[in-house]
Amino acid sequence: VRRGPGGVLEFVGRVDQQVKIRGFRIEPGEIEAVLTGHPGIAQAAVVAREDLPGDTRLIAYVVTDTDTTPEDLREFARRRLPDYMLPSWFVTLDRLPLTVNGKLDHAALPAPDSAVRTDAPSREPRTARERLLGELFAQALGVDRIGYDDDFFALGGDSIVSIRLVSLARSAGVGFAVRDVFEQRTVAALAEVAEELAPPTSEADHLAVGTVEPTPIMRWFDARGGDIDGFYQAMLLAVPADLGEERLTFAVQALVDHHDALRLTRTPGGPDGSWLPQIGPVGSVTASDLVHVVDLGGADVDEALVREHVQAAVARLSTERGPLLQVVWFDAGATRPGRLLFLVNHLVVDGVSWRILLPDLVAAWEAVGLGRPPRPEPSGTSLRRWAELLTAEARQPARVAEATLWADLLTAADPPLTAGRLDPVRDTVGRARELTLSLPPDVATPLLTTVPTAFHAGVDDVLLTALGLAVAQWRRGHGRERDTAVLVDVEGHGREEIVQGTDLSRTVGWFTSLYPVRVDPGPPAWDEVVDGGGGPALGQALKRVKEQVRALPDRGIGFGLLRHLNPETGPKLAELGVPQLGFNYLGRFPSAGTPVVPGNPAWTVAAETGLLSGADPATALAHGLEVNSMIRDTPDGPWLEAVWTWAPDVWPEQHVRALAEQWFQAIRGLVRHGHRSDTGGHTPSDFPL
């Protein structure tokens, strides 16, 4: 364990042996652990070899006491590893050569001339569509290239990256849904179901402009009190020295004209006392009012300076009068890259939106520099139209019938985790405490790839299973009731395909869904978490939790509709209270120095700070304890970052730290379980009727 900048505790694993192949960071030790799970393998060593410049491949050296052949090992490994982690050759040895110090003697390892090659050159695409989709898969995943039969999720894809893939494909004239990505999974399979699209168009202005029905997440936040003007998200970017105020202003104008949500304001006067959002017409927001320049005069940017200008930018936001966006350029002169603070009120932006806005900003700036008018890709279904559809959906008989399911979830036993109770007056954002912890690539890489792939699950399923295991153990250790289930409020991206013909893959806005999940990993399995072997009970726990999550229709979006948009079911659900814990997995984000657009090193995440967020101190906390997690893609590989936020009068700090450490223990245990030869398998939800 080491303490990083700002007091962040980082749990450090072995990263010195990492190699990068085809754009993927790979831990050879993880492959070795899988191979030694074979009953006929006593030892294994995996090394990278570059026989041709730029052509790095993996070689597996194994010691076996049986008649196991390289072909057998190839099949064994293929069933447990994503394609990009499969060794290119297997070499059988009587023993591994060691140095006098007992370490692997790399120089003494034989060349793989007579070994079995397992990665015969990837086949050529069968069609032009396969070739195109292969390029788009690689772009969405941020890697150099992939195979046409590689599993999207085994390569690190998730639901949010799926939305990005759908957006890229639509821009290229190929249509398929996020659901298709989950069902087909490979380039080859998707190419069979994808459709040619007519040139894309945005919705007509009369559909995108005007009064907007408040969405469930908007109503949820309003109920917490506090000033929404102070509720923001921001990114700090390193930008070209020649950014230019005029050129930047033209680019920002293209963004606010194209993305309707950036022109949103809201006024009081709704029929139930709520605020009424409105989206103004194109041209109603002037970019020159949004762009501000700070002349550094030779000074450097530091975190204190950024925080000062964040506060000033937030003070200029107004949801009632506008604007909801501020752009601050820290001009470092003609020879040094500057910094760009891009700050947006959270009312109109979410994690997916950032993956739309930043590439659009870069593209618009580049177009202006070439003397061309910026033309962002069409946005599909507008925020205003989506809000109308949600209001109508909340009254559909099939959706209303879900109310019983949600009521049953909220009334099931959920014994208190602490002696204190959340008080909306006392327990506010301004009094909350935070703890940030990280897990290194040797854990985060299999968390993204091998473990969810083995169970046909998602990263969030693995994280929720670990949370359920940790809470159950925490209860046992603190004299709480021995209930293995815990009720958790789960955040989702909310861009679910519940209405035929809608497309939110390029729509900017706050679409988040929030819904309760009863996480029950089953009989205690903590001994298998800590014993180092990652026993079979952990796999059963993951399968149980996966099925509990899949049992909720449409990834839980119906709860918010019935709780906040239906006047009949809303008051009844409101009486049932909320879970004690909140959980959110935000997906993958670039770390410092990473390009915000793959292949464009001129625009990167700044080193001083990356994603920023804040809220009015008077805003009531939604839960006594929340964990927000994300993957930070760094040059050394992916890191899992977890931010724990809690009400100090409800949760003592030492209890939060204990639970956080147990969550990480459970994640490590599930990763170890993923290395076993008898791991994984399907569950009933993989075969829908």
Side-chain angles (χ1 to χ4, degrees), residues 27 71 75 107 125 142 167 171 180 188 191 242 270-271 283 291 302 336 354 421 429 451 455 463 465 500 581 628 653:
E27 287 280 354
E71 290 87 349
E75 291 305 316
S167 172
S171 297
D180 294 323
D242 62 345
V291 176
D302 58 25
R336 292 195 302 156
W354 283 107
R421 295 291 180 271
V429 168
V451 178
F455 288 89
L463 295 176
T465 301
Q500 186 74 23
L581 301 180
N628 287 272
E653 180 174 346

PDB file of all heavy atoms in Angstrom, residues 27 71 75 107 125 142 167 171 180 188 191 242 270-271 283 291 302 336 354 421 429 451 455 463 465 500 581 628 653:
ATOM      1  N   GLU A  27      -0.978  -8.161 -17.926  1.00  0.00           N
ATOM      2  CA  GLU A  27      -0.173  -8.670 -16.834  1.00  0.00           C
ATOM      3  C   GLU A  27       0.140 -10.142 -17.124  1.00  0.00           C
ATOM      4  O   GLU A  27      -0.753 -11.002 -17.024  1.00  0.00           O
ATOM      5  CB  GLU A  27      -0.939  -8.563 -15.511  1.00  0.00           C
ATOM      6  CG  GLU A  27      -1.079  -7.159 -14.970  1.00  0.00           C
ATOM      7  CD  GLU A  27       0.178  -6.694 -14.262  1.00  0.00           C
ATOM      8  OE1 GLU A  27       1.095  -7.513 -14.107  1.00  0.00           O
ATOM      9  OE2 GLU A  27       0.232  -5.519 -13.884  1.00  0.00           O
ATOM     10  N   GLU A  71      -1.615 -28.163 -27.777  1.00  0.00           N
ATOM     11  CA  GLU A  71      -2.967 -27.971 -28.304  1.00  0.00           C
ATOM     12  C   GLU A  71      -3.997 -27.994 -27.178  1.00  0.00           C
ATOM     13  O   GLU A  71      -4.966 -27.220 -27.182  1.00  0.00           O
ATOM     14  CB  GLU A  71      -3.288 -29.057 -29.342  1.00  0.00           C
ATOM     15  CG  GLU A  71      -2.506 -28.926 -30.630  1.00  0.00           C
ATOM     16  CD  GLU A  71      -1.155 -29.635 -30.564  1.00  0.00           C
ATOM     17  OE1 GLU A  71      -0.761 -30.037 -29.439  1.00  0.00           O
ATOM     18  OE2 GLU A  71      -0.509 -29.756 -31.609  1.00  0.00           O
ATOM     19  N   GLU A  75      -6.589 -24.749 -26.004  1.00  0.00           N
ATOM     20  CA  GLU A  75      -8.034 -24.795 -25.818  1.00  0.00           C
ATOM     21  C   GLU A  75      -8.415 -24.433 -24.388  1.00  0.00           C
ATOM     22  O   GLU A  75      -9.414 -23.749 -24.145  1.00  0.00           O
ATOM     23  CB  GLU A  75      -8.574 -26.182 -26.185  1.00  0.00           C
ATOM     24  CG  GLU A  75      -8.490 -26.494 -27.658  1.00  0.00           C
ATOM     25  CD  GLU A  75      -9.171 -25.434 -28.505  1.00  0.00           C
ATOM     26  OE1 GLU A  75     -10.284 -25.006 -28.144  1.00  0.00           O
ATOM     27  OE2 GLU A  75      -8.578 -25.003 -29.518  1.00  0.00           O
ATOM     28  N   ALA A 107      17.049 -15.066 -20.231  1.00  0.00           N
ATOM     29  CA  ALA A 107      18.010 -15.305 -21.315  1.00  0.00           C
ATOM     30  C   ALA A 107      18.124 -16.782 -21.658  1.00  0.00           C
ATOM     31  O   ALA A 107      18.514 -17.138 -22.785  1.00  0.00           O
ATOM     32  CB  ALA A 107      19.372 -14.745 -20.933  1.00  0.00           C
ATOM     33  N   PRO A 125     -11.287  -9.514 -43.064  1.00  0.00           N
ATOM     34  CA  PRO A 125     -12.745  -9.321 -42.996  1.00  0.00           C
ATOM     35  C   PRO A 125     -13.432  -9.914 -44.220  1.00  0.00           C
ATOM     36  O   PRO A 125     -12.898  -9.868 -45.337  1.00  0.00           O
ATOM     37  CB  PRO A 125     -12.889  -7.797 -42.958  1.00  0.00           C
ATOM     38  CG  PRO A 125     -11.641  -7.273 -43.572  1.00  0.00           C
ATOM     39  CD  PRO A 125     -10.563  -8.229 -43.182  1.00  0.00           C
ATOM     40  N   GLY A 142     -10.586   2.010 -27.612  1.00  0.00           N
ATOM     41  CA  GLY A 142      -9.328   2.716 -27.427  1.00  0.00           C
ATOM     42  C   GLY A 142      -8.113   1.834 -27.605  1.00  0.00           C
ATOM     43  O   GLY A 142      -7.100   2.011 -26.925  1.00  0.00           O
ATOM     44  N   SER A 167     -23.046   5.009 -31.305  1.00  0.00           N
ATOM     45  CA  SER A 167     -22.927   6.367 -31.833  1.00  0.00           C
ATOM     46  C   SER A 167     -21.950   6.423 -33.001  1.00  0.00           C
ATOM     47  O   SER A 167     -22.236   7.025 -34.044  1.00  0.00           O
ATOM     48  CB  SER A 167     -22.472   7.313 -30.717  1.00  0.00           C
ATOM     49  OG  SER A 167     -22.174   8.599 -31.228  1.00  0.00           O
ATOM     50  N   SER A 171     -22.875   7.258 -37.009  1.00  0.00           N
ATOM     51  CA  SER A 171     -22.200   8.321 -37.748  1.00  0.00           C
ATOM     52  C   SER A 171     -21.603   7.795 -39.048  1.00  0.00           C
ATOM     53  O   SER A 171     -21.444   8.542 -40.009  1.00  0.00           O
ATOM     54  CB  SER A 171     -21.091   8.942 -36.883  1.00  0.00           C
ATOM     55  OG  SER A 171     -21.641   9.542 -35.726  1.00  0.00           O
ATOM     56  N   ASP A 180     -28.222  -5.109 -29.292  1.00  0.00           N
ATOM     57  CA  ASP A 180     -27.549  -5.977 -30.261  1.00  0.00           C
ATOM     58  C   ASP A 180     -26.094  -6.223 -29.874  1.00  0.00           C
ATOM     59  O   ASP A 180     -25.563  -7.322 -30.088  1.00  0.00           O
ATOM     60  CB  ASP A 180     -27.610  -5.345 -31.656  1.00  0.00           C
ATOM     61  CG  ASP A 180     -29.020  -5.258 -32.201  1.00  0.00           C
ATOM     62  OD1 ASP A 180     -29.804  -6.191 -31.950  1.00  0.00           O
ATOM     63  OD2 ASP A 180     -29.344  -4.248 -32.851  1.00  0.00           O
ATOM     64  N   ALA A 188     -18.131  -9.958 -36.261  1.00  0.00           N
ATOM     65  CA  ALA A 188     -18.741 -10.841 -37.256  1.00  0.00           C
ATOM     66  C   ALA A 188     -20.246 -10.988 -37.038  1.00  0.00           C
ATOM     67  O   ALA A 188     -21.034 -10.915 -37.993  1.00  0.00           O
ATOM     68  CB  ALA A 188     -18.060 -12.207 -37.211  1.00  0.00           C
ATOM     69  N   ALA A 191     -22.138  -7.657 -37.693  1.00  0.00           N
ATOM     70  CA  ALA A 191     -22.220  -7.342 -39.121  1.00  0.00           C
ATOM     71  C   ALA A 191     -23.415  -8.027 -39.771  1.00  0.00           C
ATOM     72  O   ALA A 191     -23.967  -7.524 -40.762  1.00  0.00           O
ATOM     73  CB  ALA A 191     -20.926  -7.760 -39.816  1.00  0.00           C
ATOM     74  N   ASP A 242      -1.792  27.109 -29.363  1.00  0.00           N
ATOM     75  CA  ASP A 242      -2.453  28.031 -30.294  1.00  0.00           C
ATOM     76  C   ASP A 242      -3.968  27.906 -30.257  1.00  0.00           C
ATOM     77  O   ASP A 242      -4.641  28.122 -31.271  1.00  0.00           O
ATOM     78  CB  ASP A 242      -1.945  27.803 -31.715  1.00  0.00           C
ATOM     79  CG  ASP A 242      -2.263  26.400 -32.236  1.00  0.00           C
ATOM     80  OD1 ASP A 242      -2.606  25.525 -31.407  1.00  0.00           O
ATOM     81  OD2 ASP A 242      -2.177  26.187 -33.454  1.00  0.00           O
ATOM     82  N   GLY A 270     -44.566  25.033 -12.146  1.00  0.00           N
ATOM     83  CA  GLY A 270     -45.143  23.769 -12.578  1.00  0.00           C
ATOM     84  C   GLY A 270     -46.445  23.489 -11.844  1.00  0.00           C
ATOM     85  O   GLY A 270     -46.695  24.028 -10.760  1.00  0.00           O
ATOM     86  N   PRO A 271     -47.304  22.620 -12.398  1.00  0.00           N
ATOM     87  CA  PRO A 271     -48.614  22.357 -11.785  1.00  0.00           C
ATOM     88  C   PRO A 271     -48.531  21.806 -10.366  1.00  0.00           C
ATOM     89  O   PRO A 271     -49.439  22.016  -9.569  1.00  0.00           O
ATOM     90  CB  PRO A 271     -49.247  21.335 -12.746  1.00  0.00           C
ATOM     91  CG  PRO A 271     -48.106  20.757 -13.513  1.00  0.00           C
ATOM     92  CD  PRO A 271     -47.089  21.847 -13.620  1.00  0.00           C
ATOM     93  N   GLY A 283     -29.126  29.793 -31.160  1.00  0.00           N
ATOM     94  CA  GLY A 283     -28.751  31.197 -31.132  1.00  0.00           C
ATOM     95  C   GLY A 283     -29.134  31.912 -29.860  1.00  0.00           C
ATOM     96  O   GLY A 283     -28.731  33.061 -29.649  1.00  0.00           O
ATOM     97  N   VAL A 291     -17.074  31.951 -22.727  1.00  0.00           N
ATOM     98  CA  VAL A 291     -15.628  31.735 -22.808  1.00  0.00           C
ATOM     99  C   VAL A 291     -14.883  32.829 -22.053  1.00  0.00           C
ATOM    100  O   VAL A 291     -15.132  34.024 -22.262  1.00  0.00           O
ATOM    101  CB  VAL A 291     -15.167  31.691 -24.275  1.00  0.00           C
ATOM    102  CG1 VAL A 291     -13.646  31.566 -24.354  1.00  0.00           C
ATOM    103  CG2 VAL A 291     -15.836  30.539 -25.012  1.00  0.00           C
ATOM    104  N   ASP A 302      -1.764  25.373 -11.256  1.00  0.00           N
ATOM    105  CA  ASP A 302      -1.754  24.414 -10.154  1.00  0.00           C
ATOM    106  C   ASP A 302      -3.184  24.194  -9.688  1.00  0.00           C
ATOM    107  O   ASP A 302      -4.122  24.865 -10.134  1.00  0.00           O
ATOM    108  CB  ASP A 302      -0.857  24.869  -9.002  1.00  0.00           C
ATOM    109  CG  ASP A 302      -1.264  26.222  -8.428  1.00  0.00           C
ATOM    110  OD1 ASP A 302      -2.457  26.598  -8.546  1.00  0.00           O
ATOM    111  OD2 ASP A 302      -0.400  26.910  -7.868  1.00  0.00           O
ATOM    112  N   ARG A 336       3.744  27.141 -24.959  1.00  0.00           N
ATOM    113  CA  ARG A 336       3.417  26.116 -23.961  1.00  0.00           C
ATOM    114  C   ARG A 336       1.950  25.723 -24.054  1.00  0.00           C
ATOM    115  O   ARG A 336       1.082  26.591 -24.228  1.00  0.00           O
ATOM    116  CB  ARG A 336       3.687  26.632 -22.540  1.00  0.00           C
ATOM    117  CG  ARG A 336       5.149  26.851 -22.219  1.00  0.00           C
ATOM    118  CD  ARG A 336       5.314  26.995 -20.707  1.00  0.00           C
ATOM    119  NE  ARG A 336       4.512  28.099 -20.173  1.00  0.00           N
ATOM    120  CZ  ARG A 336       4.106  28.175 -18.905  1.00  0.00           C
ATOM    121  NH1 ARG A 336       4.404  27.205 -18.056  1.00  0.00           N
ATOM    122  NH2 ARG A 336       3.415  29.228 -18.497  1.00  0.00           N
ATOM    123  N   TRP A 354     -20.190  13.466 -21.493  1.00  0.00           N
ATOM    124  CA  TRP A 354     -18.804  13.893 -21.618  1.00  0.00           C
ATOM    125  C   TRP A 354     -18.120  13.211 -22.803  1.00  0.00           C
ATOM    126  O   TRP A 354     -17.249  13.795 -23.466  1.00  0.00           O
ATOM    127  CB  TRP A 354     -18.036  13.594 -20.334  1.00  0.00           C
ATOM    128  CG  TRP A 354     -18.343  14.579 -19.249  1.00  0.00           C
ATOM    129  CD1 TRP A 354     -19.098  14.350 -18.131  1.00  0.00           C
ATOM    130  CD2 TRP A 354     -17.927  15.944 -19.184  1.00  0.00           C
ATOM    131  NE1 TRP A 354     -19.184  15.497 -17.385  1.00  0.00           N
ATOM    132  CE2 TRP A 354     -18.466  16.489 -17.992  1.00  0.00           C
ATOM    133  CE3 TRP A 354     -17.158  16.763 -20.013  1.00  0.00           C
ATOM    134  CZ2 TRP A 354     -18.252  17.808 -17.617  1.00  0.00           C
ATOM    135  CZ3 TRP A 354     -16.949  18.081 -19.646  1.00  0.00           C
ATOM    136  CH2 TRP A 354     -17.488  18.595 -18.457  1.00  0.00           C
ATOM    137  N   ARG A 421     -29.544   7.299  12.014  1.00  0.00           N
ATOM    138  CA  ARG A 421     -30.467   7.379  10.898  1.00  0.00           C
ATOM    139  C   ARG A 421     -30.199   8.655  10.114  1.00  0.00           C
ATOM    140  O   ARG A 421     -29.865   9.684  10.692  1.00  0.00           O
ATOM    141  CB  ARG A 421     -31.928   7.351  11.373  1.00  0.00           C
ATOM    142  CG  ARG A 421     -32.348   6.042  12.033  1.00  0.00           C
ATOM    143  CD  ARG A 421     -32.410   4.916  10.990  1.00  0.00           C
ATOM    144  NE  ARG A 421     -32.805   3.648  11.607  1.00  0.00           N
ATOM    145  CZ  ARG A 421     -31.970   2.779  12.135  1.00  0.00           C
ATOM    146  NH1 ARG A 421     -30.662   3.049  12.149  1.00  0.00           N
ATOM    147  NH2 ARG A 421     -32.405   1.658  12.666  1.00  0.00           N
ATOM    148  N   VAL A 429     -24.410  17.677   2.028  1.00  0.00           N
ATOM    149  CA  VAL A 429     -23.171  17.597   1.252  1.00  0.00           C
ATOM    150  C   VAL A 429     -22.035  18.330   1.955  1.00  0.00           C
ATOM    151  O   VAL A 429     -20.887  17.879   1.978  1.00  0.00           O
ATOM    152  CB  VAL A 429     -23.397  18.157  -0.165  1.00  0.00           C
ATOM    153  CG1 VAL A 429     -22.072  18.353  -0.897  1.00  0.00           C
ATOM    154  CG2 VAL A 429     -24.324  17.243  -0.957  1.00  0.00           C
ATOM    155  N   VAL A 451     -13.056 -11.950 -15.642  1.00  0.00           N
ATOM    156  CA  VAL A 451     -14.076 -12.346 -14.667  1.00  0.00           C
ATOM    157  C   VAL A 451     -15.491 -12.158 -15.223  1.00  0.00           C
ATOM    158  O   VAL A 451     -16.275 -13.112 -15.254  1.00  0.00           O
ATOM    159  CB  VAL A 451     -13.898 -11.595 -13.330  1.00  0.00           C
ATOM    160  CG1 VAL A 451     -15.003 -11.994 -12.345  1.00  0.00           C
ATOM    161  CG2 VAL A 451     -12.536 -11.885 -12.736  1.00  0.00           C
ATOM    162  N   PHE A 455     -18.457 -15.277 -16.627  1.00  0.00           N
ATOM    163  CA  PHE A 455     -19.806 -15.421 -16.081  1.00  0.00           C
ATOM    164  C   PHE A 455     -20.870 -14.777 -16.964  1.00  0.00           C
ATOM    165  O   PHE A 455     -22.032 -14.689 -16.548  1.00  0.00           O
ATOM    166  CB  PHE A 455     -19.865 -14.819 -14.671  1.00  0.00           C
ATOM    167  CG  PHE A 455     -19.146 -15.639 -13.632  1.00  0.00           C
ATOM    168  CD1 PHE A 455     -17.805 -15.443 -13.379  1.00  0.00           C
ATOM    169  CD2 PHE A 455     -19.812 -16.637 -12.942  1.00  0.00           C
ATOM    170  CE1 PHE A 455     -17.138 -16.198 -12.440  1.00  0.00           C
ATOM    171  CE2 PHE A 455     -19.156 -17.407 -11.992  1.00  0.00           C
ATOM    172  CZ  PHE A 455     -17.810 -17.192 -11.742  1.00  0.00           C
ATOM    173  N   LEU A 463     -18.853  -5.991  -9.152  1.00  0.00           N
ATOM    174  CA  LEU A 463     -18.695  -5.020  -8.064  1.00  0.00           C
ATOM    175  C   LEU A 463     -19.835  -5.112  -7.053  1.00  0.00           C
ATOM    176  O   LEU A 463     -19.608  -5.010  -5.843  1.00  0.00           O
ATOM    177  CB  LEU A 463     -18.622  -3.612  -8.643  1.00  0.00           C
ATOM    178  CG  LEU A 463     -17.405  -3.307  -9.528  1.00  0.00           C
ATOM    179  CD1 LEU A 463     -17.502  -1.910 -10.111  1.00  0.00           C
ATOM    180  CD2 LEU A 463     -16.108  -3.463  -8.737  1.00  0.00           C
ATOM    181  N   THR A 465     -21.626  -7.814  -6.419  1.00  0.00           N
ATOM    182  CA  THR A 465     -21.440  -9.059  -5.674  1.00  0.00           C
ATOM    183  C   THR A 465     -20.423  -8.852  -4.558  1.00  0.00           C
ATOM    184  O   THR A 465     -20.636  -9.276  -3.411  1.00  0.00           O
ATOM    185  CB  THR A 465     -20.958 -10.171  -6.612  1.00  0.00           C
ATOM    186  OG1 THR A 465     -21.917 -10.366  -7.651  1.00  0.00           O
ATOM    187  CG2 THR A 465     -20.769 -11.474  -5.849  1.00  0.00           C
ATOM    188  N   GLN A 500     -39.474   2.143 -29.119  1.00  0.00           N
ATOM    189  CA  GLN A 500     -39.002   1.818 -30.457  1.00  0.00           C
ATOM    190  C   GLN A 500     -38.656   3.079 -31.250  1.00  0.00           C
ATOM    191  O   GLN A 500     -39.402   4.066 -31.245  1.00  0.00           O
ATOM    192  CB  GLN A 500     -40.087   1.026 -31.211  1.00  0.00           C
ATOM    193  CG  GLN A 500     -39.680   0.506 -32.573  1.00  0.00           C
ATOM    194  CD  GLN A 500     -38.745  -0.679 -32.480  1.00  0.00           C
ATOM    195  OE1 GLN A 500     -38.727  -1.369 -31.460  1.00  0.00           O
ATOM    196  NE2 GLN A 500     -37.987  -0.934 -33.525  1.00  0.00           N
ATOM    197  N   LEU A 581     -27.639   2.236   1.343  1.00  0.00           N
ATOM    198  CA  LEU A 581     -26.413   2.369   0.572  1.00  0.00           C
ATOM    199  C   LEU A 581     -26.709   2.811  -0.852  1.00  0.00           C
ATOM    200  O   LEU A 581     -27.729   2.418  -1.432  1.00  0.00           O
ATOM    201  CB  LEU A 581     -25.651   1.042   0.517  1.00  0.00           C
ATOM    202  CG  LEU A 581     -25.214   0.412   1.842  1.00  0.00           C
ATOM    203  CD1 LEU A 581     -24.482  -0.897   1.567  1.00  0.00           C
ATOM    204  CD2 LEU A 581     -24.328   1.360   2.624  1.00  0.00           C
ATOM    205  N   ASN A 628     -18.932   5.541  -5.259  1.00  0.00           N
ATOM    206  CA  ASN A 628     -18.886   5.829  -6.689  1.00  0.00           C
ATOM    207  C   ASN A 628     -17.554   5.323  -7.217  1.00  0.00           C
ATOM    208  O   ASN A 628     -16.490   5.715  -6.714  1.00  0.00           O
ATOM    209  CB  ASN A 628     -19.013   7.334  -6.944  1.00  0.00           C
ATOM    210  CG  ASN A 628     -20.419   7.838  -6.695  1.00  0.00           C
ATOM    211  OD1 ASN A 628     -21.258   7.822  -7.579  1.00  0.00           O
ATOM    212  ND2 ASN A 628     -20.681   8.290  -5.471  1.00  0.00           N
ATOM    213  N   GLU A 653     -16.021   6.919  10.782  1.00  0.00           N
ATOM    214  CA  GLU A 653     -15.028   6.756   9.721  1.00  0.00           C
ATOM    215  C   GLU A 653     -14.375   5.380   9.747  1.00  0.00           C
ATOM    216  O   GLU A 653     -14.131   4.775   8.688  1.00  0.00           O
ATOM    217  CB  GLU A 653     -13.955   7.836   9.813  1.00  0.00           C
ATOM    218  CG  GLU A 653     -12.896   7.720   8.728  1.00  0.00           C
ATOM    219  CD  GLU A 653     -11.904   8.866   8.721  1.00  0.00           C
ATOM    220  OE1 GLU A 653     -12.167   9.898   9.374  1.00  0.00           O
ATOM    221  OE2 GLU A 653     -10.854   8.729   8.064  1.00  0.00           O
TER     222      GLU A 653
END
